[in-house]
Amino acid sequence: MNAETPQQSPRHVLMTADTVGGVWSHALELAAALAERGVRVSLATMGTLPTPAQRAQAASLAGLELHASEWRLEWMENPWDDVRRAGQWLLGLERELAPDVVHLNQFAFGALPFAAPKLVVAHSCVASWWRAVHRQLAPASWDTYRRTVRQGLDGADLVGAPTEAMLSSLALDYGYIHGGLVLPNGRSAAMFAPGDKEPVILSAGRLWDAAKNVSALQAVATRLPWPLCVAGSASAPGAGEKSIQAPGVLWLGELAPDAMAAQFARASIYALPARYEPFGLSALEAALSQCALVLGDVPSLREVWGDAALYVQPDDHDALHAALMRLIDDAPLRQQMARRAAERARHFTPARMAGAYMSAYGRLLAPAASRAGGPGRARRKTKEAACAS
């Protein structure tokens, strides 16, 4: 796209999100930042119905309209009937709401014939998760998922991801080589501030998700002089009352946002020895709270945090123990690393995130004014411009 071509700004975005992961927090943060730019967001949610706390969060945001469903997500067990019905529901919402842009935080819906231009954002995927966690390709039972993801990517007018590492994985796992945009996440510092730091190590993540690697924390917790607390859900979606146990650590359960912020405020160290983390929103929240960071040595976390964290190989428990003990025993180093993390975190603001998304929406809308060449032509132009940026 010519640099002199003026970009158009949307006034209304239809955005999808799930209620069982970090995309929920990301979507609300982005919606709030977009509202400050005069953009109204209709948020269509899937996975499970929003909890009362989530509904209250959404209701507190000006310019956000919530449309809730409980259709199963594309990575869940036997989801395809639900995915098809969810697609019909979304097409109906688009006809009713007439948004300027459709922003999809799931892959499958990129293949749908929306009238508005489509942005598909790759926050994570099963194929890259499986490679990181199991160190092999996902089995043939995931072939339908793989085909669906590729079709969704091919149907998008523009593709984005929160890190270059996640964007690059789309080529490796799905043969998607048409480029895209890095759209970093952001978090408001207003909710996350340091308190009186205590001799506490904190982690947060779904206990049932092997990518979070809570087992590594359990392996070292009893050898540490400080308590190691873990917050997060213990039950996978659809698991009913069945939950994962976390012996060796102090499990805090699933906390409301304000309670989670209080835990970040008091913790001196945040440990996330993740095998897989396409961005790491919880690490950003911890850094805004001036926790020293100990992270899994994976490309995406290196990309986001640079020299503002200590890194350990996810399965090297001795290295994890040594890194935590180094920070416990060396208060000046711990404070220095906490300051570095906080300084780095200030780059990932909601305003910067909203600016990146507004630019992406503008790329979509610029060719939409003259779509005589058809959606495919507009998509190719947009992706060429994204690769050149």
Side-chain angles (χ1 to χ4, degrees), residues 16 46 83-92 94 102 104 106-118 120 148 151-157 375 379:
T16 66
M46 287 156 275
V83 169
R84 179 177 55 80
R85 293 187 179 101
Q88 294 170 345
W89 174 63
L90 289 173
L91 288 171
E94 193 214 14
V102 175
L104 301 165
Q106 292 83 22
F107 295 104
F109 308 124
L112 294 177
F114 291 104
K118 295 168 283 186
V120 171
T148 301
Q151 290 166 359
L153 292 170
D154 285 341
D157 294 293
R379 179 165 64 249

Side-chain angles (χ1 to χ4, degrees), residues 43 80 93 115 121 129 151 167 186 196 223 272-273 297 302 327:
L43 187 66
W80 303 118
L93 277 179
V121 182
W129 180 96
Q151 290 166 359
L167 199 60
D196 294 329
R223 293 191 282 151
L272 184 69
D297 195 354
R302 285 269 187 184
L327 292 175

